Amino acid sequence: MADLYIGGEWVDARAGGRREIRCPADGSLVAEVAEATAEDTEAAIAAARRAFDTGPWPATPAAERGNLLLRTADLLDRDAEEFARAESLDTGKRLVESRYDMSDIAACLRYFGKLAGNEAGRVVDTGSADSFSRIVHEPVGVCGLITPWNYPLLQAVWKIAPALAAGNTFVLKPSELTPHTAILFMRLLAEAGLPGGVANLVLGAGPTAGAPLSKHPDVDLVSFTGGLATGRVIAANAAATVKKVALELGGKNPNVVFADADFETAVDYALTAVFLHSGQVCSAGARLIVQREWHDEFVDELVRRAERIRLGGPFDENAETGPLISAAHREKVERYVATAIEEGAVLRTGGKRPDDPALQDGFYYLPTILDNVQQGSTAVVEESFGPVLTVETFTDEDDAVRIANDTHYGLAGGVFTQDAARAQRVANRLRHGTVWINDYHPYLPQAEWGGYKQSGFGRELGPTGLAEYTEVKHIHQNLKPGPQHWFSG
Ligand code: NDP
């Protein structure tokens, strides 16, 4: 079936390439999809360029653009179950989590749908009756959107919704592993009435199908979520044509637990922080930084509860978390754990694949806790992006902040304490883009999301998220034009 969406048409890859998509929970074949090459992506960029330069979308009133997003949200609600099943088959994640994702996506569409209509320019007071100035907001142009496999449609819609709200056109390249909800979503946008060429979809590998999105002169903005190494390549590619760039590159997120926190609450959230979606979350609380006097009791309890986490496939109602995305990714997590142990970490639990025969065809890995990791060691510096918690200790508040900020990433973090003033002090001092207090993981479409330091630049969500896709123009008019006689001659 033709499943590249270019210029409002469903087409096959020009070179005829196909790729098998397999469910990470059991290796079963989900479907075959088209495998685009750079040539297909260039055709998609040309379609997006035409739709921007000559099509109706950029000049469509903002409120109408917003209404299209609101209609799309309603259509997604209608089809949520189909979308959730497709997401679970591609990612292996539990169906219940995919259902949450779909409802978060609808909320994101509604947020930007409403915001679109509120985005007004402003008149600037020039201080003179003889001139008039105004600020207008305009779309940036053609956006290249490159997304990962952990929250496939959610990550895509975090980019698509503000891009469309602002009047841009786009080419989306989702992860080669998880294309299906992107295909379904293009159909919804068309059903909602989006003109052909505004939304374009290419499927395929990053270095071939994805690369033109960061290089091609007809792309004005590239927005990427994924790994740090790829982010560096994309930023370097984009520099040649000075594209606008937005990057979300993950994190090495500290979860700081003071000994005055509520013990049960802090343990419970520490587990969710790191083991949700088997740790394949950019904001995962993978670094537990616990006050020294609590260390033994706290880690013992974490180990006890981590060993009870039930693994299983998307449709196993007893499962509490699922597999890793691929064999290659599980091997990466295994290497990370082996290196940590070589460097002195103490393996408290996990550190291997499950023995359960029912799980042998999937890419499962047991929830793992590594104690006694040292600052500066690989385990503390690098992301595992798997179900692996490292444990460090601190003495006092200054020590906690110093350790929590000792990372080149800066995406998110948590603070657990019952001292309200301390919570705010520590949150103020953490150099991370989102800080949760006595909580972990909630995100709100109306609140900005993005990283400090090497976690990236540019914001997603919130009003600033929309601003990323907007050019701001100052238009100044002289109301009494005539010679100025600045020079007498
Ligand atoms: P990547 O960063 O390689 O992939 C993310 C997206 O970028 C995919 O669509 C990928 O394509 C695409 N891509 C890769 N190379 C290029 C390129 N040269 N030009 C344009 N697009 C490109 O992530 P991985 O899947 O390899 O995961 C690596 C690590 O990244 C993980 O272990 C984790 O640490 C981190 N990660 C972070 C995420 C986050 O949310 N911040 C999400 C996922 C991963 P394709 O893969 O289809 O070839």
Side-chain angles (χ1 to χ4, degrees), residues 121-122 134-138 470-476:
R122 66 182 201 277
R134 64 197 169 99
I135 303 294
V136 295
H137 294 175
E138 296 184 340
T470 307
E471 298 278 21
V472 176
K473 184 191 282 174
H474 175 196
I475 300 175
H476 179 91

Side-chain angles (χ1 to χ4, degrees), residues 112-459:
F112 283 108
K114 289 177 191 151
L115 198 62
N118 295 336
E119 269 291 290
R122 66 182 201 277
V123 171
V124 178
D125 184 358
T126 63
S128 158
D130 297 340
S131 62
F132 174 70
S133 265
R134 64 197 169 99
I135 303 294
V136 295
H137 294 175
E138 296 184 340
V140 173
V142 174
C143 302
L145 311 179
I146 305 171
T147 52
W149 40 259
N150 53 343
Y151 288 86
L153 190 60
L154 186 70
Q155 305 274 14
V157 170
W158 283 17
K159 301 179 193 307
I160 291 172
L164 290 180
N168 299 279
T169 63
F170 70 84
V171 179
L172 170 66
K173 207 293 290 173
S175 164
E176 63 195 26
L177 302 172
T178 54
H180 281 108
T181 47
I183 297 172
L184 294 174
F185 195 70
M186 294 298 124
R187 293 190 197 141
L188 280 201
L189 288 175
E191 187 181 343
L194 192 68
V198 176
N200 300 275
L201 174 70
V202 291
L203 309 175
T208 46
L213 297 179
S214 62
K215 291 182 176 167
H216 200 289
D218 280 345
V219 177
D220 301 292
L221 174 153
V222 59
S223 176
F224 167 79
T225 301
L228 180 53
T230 314
R232 288 186 181 126
V233 171
I234 283 170
N237 286 345
T241 47
V242 197
K243 295 187 195 320
K244 295 192 174 356
V245 181
L247 301 173
E248 203 269 68
L249 306 178
K252 191 71 196 178
N253 311 292
N255 183 18
V256 179
V257 176
F258 285 88
D260 62 5
D262 179 74
F263 186 88
E264 287 298 318
T265 305
V267 167
D268 197 63
Y269 276 97
L271 291 165
T272 317
V274 63
F275 295 130
L276 177 76
H277 194 16
S278 291
Q280 302 171 114
V281 184
C282 48
S283 51
R287 277 181 89 192
L288 172 67
I289 302 174
V290 60
Q291 199 153 15
R292 188 158 291 158
E293 50 266 46
W294 260 23
H295 169 272
D296 293 357
E297 197 187 347
F298 200 83
V299 177
D300 285 351
E301 182 60 5
L302 280 178
V303 168
R304 188 185 71 77
R305 289 197 49 192
E307 288 176 350
R308 297 165 66 122
I309 293 175
R310 293 189 300 272
L311 303 181
F315 310 112
D316 175 350
E317 289 186 355
N318 290 319
E320 295 174 306
T321 192
L324 298 179
I325 188 70
S326 65
H329 186 53
R330 180 168 63 178
E331 281 161 22
K332 185 184 156 208
V333 173
E334 287 172 332
R335 283 195 301 277
Y336 167 93
V337 171
T339 305
I341 293 168
E342 275 164 30
E343 292 183 2
V346 175
L347 178 67
R348 289 292 310 269
T349 188
K352 61 183 177 102
R353 304 175 184 189
D355 298 325
D356 184 348
L359 302 179
Q360 295 314 301
D361 292 335
F363 308 124
Y364 292 92
Y365 193 75
L366 288 175
T368 297
I369 297 180
L370 295 169
D371 199 359
N372 192 41
V373 294
Q374 304 301 315
Q375 270 181 277
S377 66
T378 311
V380 168
V381 170
E382 286 185 9
E383 255 188 326
S384 82
F385 224 68
V388 186
L389 180 68
T390 62
V391 183
E392 297 158 86
T393 56
F394 67 89
T395 50
D396 59 16
E397 200 173 302
D398 284 344
D399 198 32
V401 170
R402 182 183 61 76
I403 295 170
N405 284 338
D406 183 21
T407 164
H408 57 269
Y409 285 107
L411 187 63
V415 185
F416 284 80
T417 173
Q418 294 191 84
D419 178 336
R422 162 180 280 162
Q424 293 295 333
R425 280 195 305 273
V426 172
N428 285 342
R429 293 173 68 193
L430 289 182
R431 304 283 298 158
H432 298 268
T434 294
V435 178
W436 292 293
I437 296 172
N438 294 327
D439 207 335
Y440 210 97
H441 278 321
Y443 90 94
L444 304 168
Q446 59 272 32
E448 272 75 4
W449 179 261
Y452 283 29
K453 301 196 261 182
Q454 292 187 39
S455 285
F457 47 82
R459 300 279 135 185

